Amino acid sequence: MIDLRLNRREKRPRRPPYRKLEDLELVDLARAGDKQAFGELYERYVDRIYSYVLYRTGTAADAEDLTARVFFRAMEHIAGYTERGVPFQAWLYRIAHNLVANYHRDRGRRKIIPLDEYMTGSAPADQPEVLAEDREERDALMAAVRALPEERQLLLTLKFVDQLSNAEIGEIMGRTEGAVKSLYHRTLLALRDTLEDVHPTLLADMSREKLS
Amino acid sequence: MNAHEPKTMDHLLDELTSAVLENQRLAGLFTSDEAAQILPFLGLIRHLRQAYRPRRANRRFAARLQRDLMGRDYTVMERVRYLPPQVQIAACLAIVGTVLVLLRGRSVLAGQALGQIVTPVEAAS
């Protein structure tokens, strides 16, 4: 009896904890119907996807709604996912990007992103004029960002919020690393041009910064 | 890339952005020629970094979504807890209102019932 139990225990394949598995291994398990594996992938990416969607939509409620849709869609289609040069992370971001694009198209609007979403509390509470100035500058900058084509906004979000490498951004956007760098350069130029038109004082302030 | 080969602007801006995002000291990272080219973009990159901050999903939302994805059942308490606050308040008010109406109805009925009690003496007369 004891021998049998030992044999059975030996035969059972030992799987490392989900946290130690690579994305691809988790995807394989999830495709085979392992919900815990999908749960681990969810934990790895929920904040990134939420953050990305929040900056593209502007409100927490819409960001939560779209984040939920991203993961439900991913779970629904994971059986058909094959890597083929598109890692799971990139695949997830592409789903998010498409859903955000649909969101803007369906509603026919670009949300005015609330200022409070961007405030990081950098100014002391007893300096309201500094706070107001910071808000105004941030508002002007984000207005310029919103005037950019969708693809460039995506690039800025992936670079500054998610802090992905050019290679990872390239995988998501279907571009080479060189093309990502070039697009980033053109994006910065476009932002400078827009700010020069709408907020020349802010651009002048920015230009006074020094390498330190 | 060859060390003597001049870097393209694409490359310089990419390096500058990485350095800003990683909080590196910028002095000494670039030659004076390179610094002159990228300096007009430094303020913009720093402002973008300030404006874009990673945000975390609300923990309650994240836990609820995970539960939905995993297909786990909710307990009654969890069902109530995950309702929107307005719905929770409305439900509380509805429950309290219903209880009050029922209590009032019972007391009225009880009062009517007391008034209808007929003592045996009254019945005999």
Side-chain angles (χ1 to χ4, degrees):
Chain A
M1 187 70 178
I2 292 169
D3 287 347
L4 276 175
R5 277 183 190 169
L6 284 173
N7 283 340
R8 208 178 290 165
R9 200 171 288 169
E10 280 167 10
K11 279 177 186 172
R12 194 179 296 161
R14 283 201 167 187
R15 183 187 298 147
Y18 288 105
R19 283 179 197 281
K20 292 186 176 173
L21 295 178
E22 296 289 326
D23 281 6
L24 198 57
E25 294 171 292
L26 288 168
V27 168
D28 284 342
L29 289 171
R31 287 173 63 190
D34 186 335
K35 287 192 169 182
Q36 295 294 324
F38 190 83
E40 175 61 27
L41 288 166
Y42 168 82
E43 283 180 21
R44 284 183 194 181
Y45 290 107
V46 65
D47 284 329
R48 288 188 187 197
I49 294 295
Y50 173 81
S51 202
Y52 164 71
V53 176
L54 178 64
Y55 277 98
R56 302 296 313 284
T57 58
T59 65
D62 287 343
E64 287 183 356
D65 179 38
L66 286 177
T67 302
R69 284 200 230 170
V70 169
F71 283 98
F72 273 109
R73 187 169 288 190
M75 197 165 75
E76 201 179 319
H77 294 287
I78 199 158
Y81 165 77
T82 45
E83 203 194 22
R84 282 184 203 153
V86 182
F88 179 75
Q89 173 182 245
W91 183 67
L92 210 52
Y93 272 103
R94 284 185 185 180
I95 294 174
H97 175 67
N98 290 337
L99 285 173
V100 170
N102 290 347
Y103 163 90
H104 286 301
R105 195 174 48 232
D106 292 349
R107 299 181 182 214
R109 67 180 183 186
R110 292 259 176 99
K111 285 282 292 188
I112 301 300
I113 299 180
L115 277 174
D116 288 347
E117 298 288 355
Y118 293 109
M119 297 313 293
T120 53
S122 54
D126 58 351
Q127 292 182 321
E129 70 284 356
V130 176
L131 200 63
E133 199 177 315
D134 273 3
R135 276 183 182 220
E136 194 191 328
E137 287 184 353
R138 221 161 284 184
D139 197 22
L141 179 59
M142 293 316 290
V145 168
R146 284 194 300 275
L148 293 170
E150 292 265 332
E151 196 179 39
R152 294 184 183 193
Q153 291 186 51
L154 169 67
L155 170 60
L156 290 177
T157 314
L158 295 176
K159 199 173 246 313
F160 285 93
V161 182
D162 300 307
Q163 301 196 1
L164 299 182
S165 68
N166 289 321
E168 289 170 318
I169 294 172
E171 282 164 352
I172 293 165
M173 298 181 72
R175 287 169 178 260
T176 62
E177 279 190 63
V180 170
K181 286 182 190 177
S182 174
L183 182 66
Y184 178 58
H185 180 188
R186 280 180 277 133
T187 302
L188 292 182
L189 284 172
L191 273 178
R192 278 182 57 86
D193 287 347
T194 308
L195 286 173
E196 202 164 17
D197 290 341
V198 298
H199 212 305
T201 51
L202 173 60
L203 190 63
D205 284 349
M206 287 177 176
S207 302
R208 276 196 282 273
E209 299 223 9
K210 291 178 180 169
L211 291 176
S212 58
Chain B
M1 183 179 281
N2 188 325
H4 301 291
E5 196 179 315
K7 293 175 184 170
T8 62
M9 196 60 184
D10 292 353
H11 192 78
L12 287 173
L13 287 174
D14 185 57
E15 276 191 5
L16 175 65
T17 306
S18 299
V20 168
L21 288 173
E22 288 162 16
N23 285 323
Q24 285 182 33
R25 267 185 64 81
L26 302 178
L29 272 184
F30 301 96
T31 65
S32 54
D33 283 350
E34 290 169 351
Q37 288 180 70
I38 58 173
L39 214 48
F41 294 92
L42 177 61
L44 177 59
I45 291 168
R46 282 186 173 150
H47 273 72
L48 282 169
R49 198 211 165 177
Q50 284 296 318
Y52 280 115
R53 294 275 181 180
R55 303 293 298 262
R56 290 189 76 193
N58 177 298
R59 292 299 93 191
R60 207 164 148 186
F61 157 75
R64 189 178 62 212
L65 177 56
Q66 186 165 23
R67 195 171 271 270
D68 286 344
L69 286 163
M70 300 295 107
R72 288 185 204 139
D73 284 337
Y74 289 97
T75 64
V76 174
M77 284 310 291
E78 281 169 339
R79 281 174 200 275
V80 173
R81 204 187 316 143
Y82 292 143
L83 287 170
Q86 298 93 326
V87 178
Q88 286 180 354
I89 291 167
C92 282
L93 289 175
I95 290 168
V96 170
T98 308
V99 169
L100 286 175
V101 167
L102 286 175
L103 285 176
R104 194 178 153 80
R106 274 177 65 113
S107 63
V108 169
L109 284 174
Q112 284 175 351
L114 276 174
Q116 286 170 359
I117 290 175
V118 181
T119 60
V121 179
E122 287 170 341
S125 64

